[in-house]
Amino acid sequence: MNKCCTNPNAIEGILESYWIDSTSKTNYPSLKEDIQVDIAIIGGGIAGITCAFLLKKEGFKVALLEADNIANGTSGHTTAKITSQHHLIYDKLINEFGMEKARQYAEANENSIRFIENLVKEYNIDCDYKHVPAYMYTQDKNYVKSLEKEVKAAQSLGLKAEYLDNIPLPLPIEGAVCFRDQAEFHPKKYLLSLADKIPGDGSYIFEKTTIIDVESEDPCILLSRNGKKVTSSKLIIASHFPCYDNLGLYFTRLKPDRSYVLALKIREKFPEGTFINAESPGRSLRSQTDNGKEIVLIGGEGHKTAHGENTINHYNNLKCFSENLFSVEKILYQWSTQDYITLDGVPYIGKLTSSSKNIYVATGFGKWGMTGSTAAAVLLKDLIMNHDNPWEQVYNPSRSITLNSTKSFFCRKL
Ligand SMILES: Cc1cc2nc3c(=O)[nH]c(=O)nc-3n(C[C@H](O)[C@H](O)[C@H](O)COP(=O)(O)OP(=O)(O)OC[C@H]3O[C@@H](n4cnc5c(N)ncnc54)[C@H](O)[C@@H]3O)c2cc1C
């Protein structure tokens, strides 16, 4: 029988993301004069920072423009599992997109794990990067078939997926999927390190610089809130929700979805791995080492933004779940954030509209933006440099969307 949640209705943890509280605040300058660069990038989250980093590495002069401080948006409030196991997706992709595009999606995300790992090694980035298996489990018999199908689908795409009857969490389960060789990290440490390498040699990061308009598309002329202009040949919009649309109609095809996270001190040792359940309400678990001490992140309670219950109830539900699973000593932090979900569950990465010549977008990561945005940076770099990229079709923002594939837009459970 479930234990009752102790001390309900109390906010016990610091109301801040652990990632933000455990790193120093950035202090990049704001845009104070008109500038000209090769590529302007709006948004200093994982998508924008990775794009700016990669393009600067290719020799372009870039300007990363951030309205607030970098890495403080959704990327600073995530749970930062680095995985190609994106809930129940591969069986759906094969059925709705076909084998070829499903393979593109699988490869893009697997490639992103290795890409992050290689950057961490190459630049010796101190970001607690760790190899872990990723588990998706169910406690509901009705989901067993879906998990079995997911394993088969993932295997047919070349992913190292296996079906398990048990997982190393103290939970009775009906079945699970395991992807070996996945990862986790401290997202803000990683992003601050990439950001460090952007300014200089004609490239910039500007904070407290909100872009309020794109006055021209050829060349791109961006207007900041304080009236200064950035002129560039190309523009990447990585502002989470696209801040410039030009008939891309993104407001009709992106849905915000909010989730909650608790960071806990528990008495037990947390097993190695990241965990997520298949059913609703969503439960997502991982651990993180903080100065030699283990903390556990428990996330979930996803709901369409502004359609939730009282915020306290969502935190209490997670607290209750945690207390039934572990001996919780303390809630250290608690926070919530939202991500955007596309009509068919696959991000929009590519030209902003089919007629855009110079403007690109990366959005709709559907709560899987660590690998999704890394794939976006590689894909957009290739598009800008006129190189072929094998994942272009599956992510094309102007793809046609079937009625069947939009079902999850209206009733997806996370
Ligand atoms: C609770 C939760 C848990 C998650 N866990 C995981 C996980 O375990 N693994 C995973 O892969 N993904 C996860 N995700 C998803 C992932 O965190 C996001 O997909 C990703 O962080 C989005 O990155 P971004 O760069 O697109 O957006 P953001 O990080 O939000 O960055 C966008 C930036 O653009 C700036 N901006 C906006 N408008 C303007 C403007 N007009 N001018 C200038 N700047 C502007 C914003 O200030 C912001 O800093 C999770 C999401 C949630 C909600």
Side-chain angles (χ1 to χ4, degrees):
M1 201 175 86
N2 278 359
K3 278 190 286 180
C4 273
C5 186
T6 58
N7 195 16
N9 296 324
I11 298 280
E12 296 166 43
I14 299 171
L15 282 172
E16 177 58 289
S17 140
Y18 162 73
W19 315 119
I20 291 177
D21 197 50
S22 58
T23 43
S24 46
K25 200 167 173 210
T26 49
N27 191 21
Y28 289 99
S30 58
L31 182 68
K32 295 200 182 72
E33 59 184 35
D34 295 353
I35 58 157
Q36 185 154 5
V37 287
D38 299 323
I39 302 164
I41 298 149
I42 306 176
I46 186 167
I49 292 173
T50 316
C51 285
F53 169 82
L54 270 190
L55 289 161
K56 158 109 194 241
K57 201 164 170 239
E58 291 294 339
F60 292 101
K61 293 182 181 12
V62 303
L64 181 71
L65 303 143
E66 167 54 48
D68 183 28
N69 288 100
I70 59 164
N72 267 17
T74 298
S75 304
H77 293 83
T78 177
T79 47
K81 299 171 177 175
I82 308 170
T83 179
S84 55
Q85 185 201 78
H86 294 178
H87 212 248
L88 291 165
I89 185 145
Y90 292 107
D91 186 55
K92 167 185 142 76
L93 282 181
I94 291 173
N95 288 327
E96 290 164 12
F97 283 67
M99 270 314 260
E100 174 47 35
K101 289 189 188 147
R103 188 169 287 121
Q104 290 179 18
Y105 186 94
E107 276 177 17
N109 286 288
E110 269 297 301
N111 183 283
S112 295
I113 304 172
R114 304 309 143 219
F115 189 90
I116 293 172
E117 183 177 341
N118 289 339
L119 280 189
V120 169
K121 277 192 199 142
E122 184 182 348
Y123 293 94
N124 208 9
I125 301 175
D126 173 15
C127 63
D128 312 317
Y129 183 91
K130 198 174 157 195
H131 273 277
V132 283
Y135 299 95
M136 175 173 49
Y137 65 88
T138 184
Q139 296 187 281
D140 181 340
K141 278 193 176 62
N142 295 320
Y143 278 81
V144 169
K145 276 243 159 348
S146 304
L147 292 193
E148 286 170 351
K149 279 204 252 169
E150 189 66 6
V151 171
K152 273 205 184 124
Q155 286 172 343
S156 73
L157 298 168
L159 294 166
K160 281 190 252 162
E162 56 191 301
Y163 190 87
L164 300 176
D165 294 319
N166 290 299
I167 55 170
L169 268 186
L171 266 179
I173 64 159
E174 298 294 337
V177 175
C178 176
F179 281 28
R180 303 277 169 203
D181 221 10
Q182 310 291 292
E184 60 189 19
F185 66 175
H186 186 309
K188 198 170 167 196
K189 285 188 188 172
Y190 171 77
L191 291 174
L192 293 188
S193 176
L194 294 193
D196 253 2
K197 298 163 187 59
I198 294 168
D201 302 323
S203 289
Y204 310 88
I205 294 182
F206 295 109
E207 293 189 323
K208 308 288 178 197
T209 299
T210 305
I211 299 305
I212 55 165
D213 197 12
V214 176
E215 293 184 337
S216 145
E217 295 197 1
D218 195 11
C220 302
I221 301 179
L222 285 62
L223 178 67
S224 72
R225 193 182 296 288
N226 67 349
K228 303 300 171 204
K229 294 188 181 180
V230 179
T231 304
S232 64
S233 311
K234 304 281 178 191
L235 165 63
I236 295 177
I237 299 174
S239 52
H240 202 212
F241 184 85
C243 60
Y244 175 71
D245 191 284
N246 197 15
L247 297 181
L249 304 181
Y250 285 88
F251 57 91
T252 63
R253 48 197 188 111
L254 282 168
K255 173 177 80 168
D257 204 274
R258 180 161 289 277
S259 305
Y260 302 77
V261 184
L262 299 181
L264 311 166
K265 189 167 175 236
I266 62 168
R267 229 167 260 142
E268 300 86 346
K269 171 105 189 76
F270 189 82
E272 186 174 88
T274 66
F275 303 85
I276 193 163
N277 65 345
E279 60 269 31
S280 251
R283 297 289 179 255
S284 160
L285 304 92
R286 66 162 281 193
S287 63
Q288 163 70 16
T289 307
D290 175 52
N291 288 322
K293 293 196 181 120
E294 185 177 75
I295 63 177
V296 174
L297 305 184
I298 309 238
E301 292 286 304
H303 61 79
K304 193 172 166 194
T305 299
H307 288 246
E309 303 167 21
N310 179 328
T311 300
I312 303 270
N313 291 353
H314 291 296
Y315 285 126
N316 277 332
N317 292 340
L318 288 182
K319 186 177 176 212
C320 209
F321 172 77
S322 313
E323 288 180 347
N324 278 301
L325 203 53
F326 303 116
S327 314
V328 177
E329 288 189 5
K330 195 170 177 196
I331 297 180
L332 303 167
Y333 297 90
Q334 54 202 89
W335 69 88
S336 80
T337 188
Q338 67 187 29
D339 207 15
Y340 285 93
I341 298 171
T342 64
L343 280 171
D344 57 14
V346 173
Y348 302 133
I349 306 167
K351 291 264 173 80
L352 181 68
T353 66
S354 54
S355 59
S356 300
K357 213 170 107 205
N358 298 319
I359 306 193
Y360 302 82
V361 69
T363 188
F365 297 116
K367 302 198 182 171
W368 298 109
M370 300 298 106
T371 54
S373 62
T374 304
V378 174
L379 170 51
L380 294 184
K381 172 196 67 98
D382 283 347
L383 292 183
I384 286 172
M385 296 180 74
N386 284 323
H387 294 168
D388 287 339
N389 181 289
W391 320 317
E392 189 179 343
Q393 288 171 358
V394 70
Y395 289 118
N396 181 358
S398 305
R399 62 185 176 265
S400 55
I401 309 250
T402 63
L403 196 58
N404 199 29
S405 66
T406 60
K407 263 193 276 172
S408 56
F409 189 73
F410 300 104
C411 50
R412 177 166 161 150
K413 297 168 183 167
L414 283 173

